[in-house]
Amino acid sequence: LWMQLDEHERGFRDSPLVVREEALTRYVKEVLCKAVGEDRCNATRVYVVQDKNFNASMAPNGLMIVHTGLLARVYSEAELATVLGHEFAHFELRHTLNGFKKQRTGTDILAWLSLSGAALGQSTAAAQMAVVTGVFSFNRDQEREADFLAAAYIRASSYPLRASIVWKRLMEEEDALREERKQRKIRRAVPGATDTHPTNLQRFAYFSELEAQPGALDGDDGASAYREATARVLPTLFHSLVKSNEFAGVDYVIQNRGKTLGWDGLLLYARGELYRLRGNPRDLVTARQFYEEAIATGGAPAEAWRGAGLTAMRGGDNAAGRTALTEYLTRMPTASDAAAMKILLEN
């Protein structure tokens, strides 16, 4: 099994899903090691993957996958450490391996590996992700056990325990999305019969109790370090989220990042993209405002001028639109859409 998982990892690391940001990947592993200890985490190989979901996973051979959607939704090293510690706890408690051994025969393993090989040969990134993260699942008792071991890791580290706020924000994000879709808000205290995880409300409750213990909140949460480490790659962290069909939830996430860690040109640009892609008439006006605010910070990406130009032209302000698009092409003359932008300017 180990040999086959290692072979699978060799294929996975070349997946288009994997984010090629060595500094970010190295930083995520450093946070994990601070949380669980250098001696424990040395054999772990971390991959950051482009995916909108709040998720991470770890295979029995030490392969850890961290989604960009997770990194976009946490705002300190302490928050990230708790989630990574949870996945590492599954690994250390052998939940994955024991479940695999218990539920699958040798024939099943061979069949799964055959399917995984086929999936890696497919063109869709979703198939590759399903193979790596979708094979192993845990029951609610294991999830709770991993949560409590993760809390113990954090208590033994230099980080304060900052977990309840993460689950509180996930509930609020879900509420925002339900309100947008005019769905009834549901806050379940007890998991459903088919649920494999404790509810977000349960996790908020028991982490709040753990955080109330003496000394649990002592230490530096690493919020400043987290902001610095992730600020440069915000377009990468928010790429999948912005393109998802979850406007209100994503807007909630972006606003919370801004309120918690501060607004900058890259985050304002991401919010402009969110509104532009939804594309309602009023959204285009709002998007233009965010692009212009991003540009005013002095730290906007070149694409902010493209967004400002496109939304200005859609609103009938052709002069401002042409000026912004010209600036975009000056800053990115070899952009993949440069030819299309030049056509707009010629018309």
Side-chain angles (χ1 to χ4, degrees), residues 98-109 111-112 134-136:
N98 290 339
F100 200 79
K101 288 166 64 178
K102 180 179 179 180
Q103 297 175 21
R104 299 180 183 274
T105 65
T107 302
D108 293 328
I109 293 173
W112 173 78
V135 173
F136 307 112

Side-chain angles (χ1 to χ4, degrees), residues 94-331:
R94 302 173 70 85
H95 286 165
T96 306
L97 181 60
N98 290 339
F100 200 79
K101 288 166 64 178
K102 180 179 179 180
Q103 297 175 21
R104 299 180 183 274
T105 65
T107 302
D108 293 328
I109 293 173
L110 291 175
W112 173 78
L113 291 167
S114 175
L115 287 172
S116 72
L120 284 173
Q122 294 179 9
S123 59
T124 63
Q128 298 179 33
M129 179 63 72
V131 168
V132 178
T133 62
V135 173
F136 307 112
S137 62
F138 309 108
N139 60 44
R140 288 194 293 271
D141 289 340
Q142 289 174 326
E143 290 292 336
R144 185 182 175 89
E145 187 179 11
D147 276 342
F148 278 83
L149 181 53
Y153 290 150
I154 302 304
R155 291 297 305 271
S157 75
S158 60
Y159 291 129
L161 185 58
R162 291 278 194 271
S164 64
I165 187 62
V166 175
W167 299 106
K168 180 176 184 290
R169 289 198 300 260
L170 287 175
M171 290 189 288
E172 291 174 348
E173 178 187 343
E174 184 181 69
D175 287 345
L177 191 57
R178 286 184 178 278
E179 184 173 342
E180 178 189 40
R181 295 177 176 176
K182 302 188 185 307
Q183 297 174 336
R184 184 168 59 90
K185 292 183 181 180
I186 299 174
R187 182 75 72 240
R188 289 187 302 165
V190 179
T194 60
D195 291 336
T196 59
H197 288 59
T199 67
N200 289 347
L201 182 57
Q202 282 183 316
R203 283 178 147 160
F204 170 75
Y206 60 64
F207 275 122
S208 295
E209 291 181 2
L210 291 172
E211 290 165 4
Q213 295 177 359
L217 300 180
D218 294 345
D220 179 8
D221 67 358
S224 296
Y226 190 80
R227 182 189 187 283
E228 182 178 348
T230 57
R232 182 182 59 84
V233 294
L234 282 185
T236 298
L237 301 188
F238 281 96
H239 176 79
S240 296
L241 277 168
V242 167
K243 291 183 178 298
S244 70
N245 187 31
E246 300 174 354
F247 177 88
V250 178
D251 198 37
Y252 170 86
V253 173
I254 293 176
Q255 288 191 71
N256 264 279
R257 165 102 188 186
K259 291 175 183 176
T260 306
L261 297 180
W263 292 93
D264 58 25
L266 291 173
L267 192 60
L268 287 163
Y269 163 72
R271 198 172 185 200
E273 285 287 278
L274 178 68
Y275 276 80
R276 181 180 69 85
L277 290 173
R278 188 168 69 165
N280 295 333
R282 181 60 194 171
D283 287 339
L284 297 177
V285 176
T286 304
R288 182 181 178 184
Q289 293 173 346
F290 288 134
Y291 290 132
E292 291 175 349
E293 289 177 22
I295 291 169
T297 67
E303 290 85 354
W305 278 268
R306 178 189 62 194
L310 292 174
T311 51
M313 294 178 79
R314 287 282 298 276
D317 191 349
N318 289 328
R322 292 172 66 85
T323 299
L325 289 181
T326 300
E327 180 65 21
Y328 168 61
L329 292 175
T330 299
R331 291 171 176 266

Side-chain angles (χ1 to χ4, degrees), residues 9 12 28-29 32 44-49 56-59 61-66 83-89 91 132:
E9 182 179 342
F12 173 77
V28 171
K29 183 170 181 179
L32 170 66
T44 304
R45 280 94 53 214
V46 173
Y47 296 84
V48 177
V49 297
S57 59
M58 191 166 181
N61 67 336
L63 161 68
M64 175 174 277
I65 296 173
V66 180
V83 181
L84 298 183
H86 170 91
E87 299 305 328
F88 192 88
F91 169 77
V132 178

Side-chain angles (χ1 to χ4, degrees), residues 15-89:
S15 165
L17 284 171
V18 176
V19 173
R20 312 296 170 183
E21 292 280 355
E22 292 185 9
L24 177 64
T25 302
R26 184 168 56 251
Y27 175 72
V28 171
K29 183 170 181 179
E30 288 172 357
V31 172
L32 170 66
C33 291
K34 289 178 183 177
V36 304
E38 294 284 346
D39 56 332
R40 285 189 172 101
C41 82
N42 280 337
T44 304
R45 280 94 53 214
V46 173
Y47 296 84
V48 177
V49 297
Q50 185 60 248
D51 186 88
K52 68 176 182 177
N53 295 305
F54 179 90
N55 199 16
S57 59
M58 191 166 181
N61 67 336
L63 161 68
M64 175 174 277
I65 296 173
V66 180
H67 294 213
T68 53
L70 164 61
L71 299 177
R73 289 178 172 92
V74 297
Y75 308 134
S76 71
E77 291 184 358
E79 291 179 11
L80 177 60
T82 303
V83 181
L84 298 183
H86 170 91
E87 299 305 328
F88 192 88

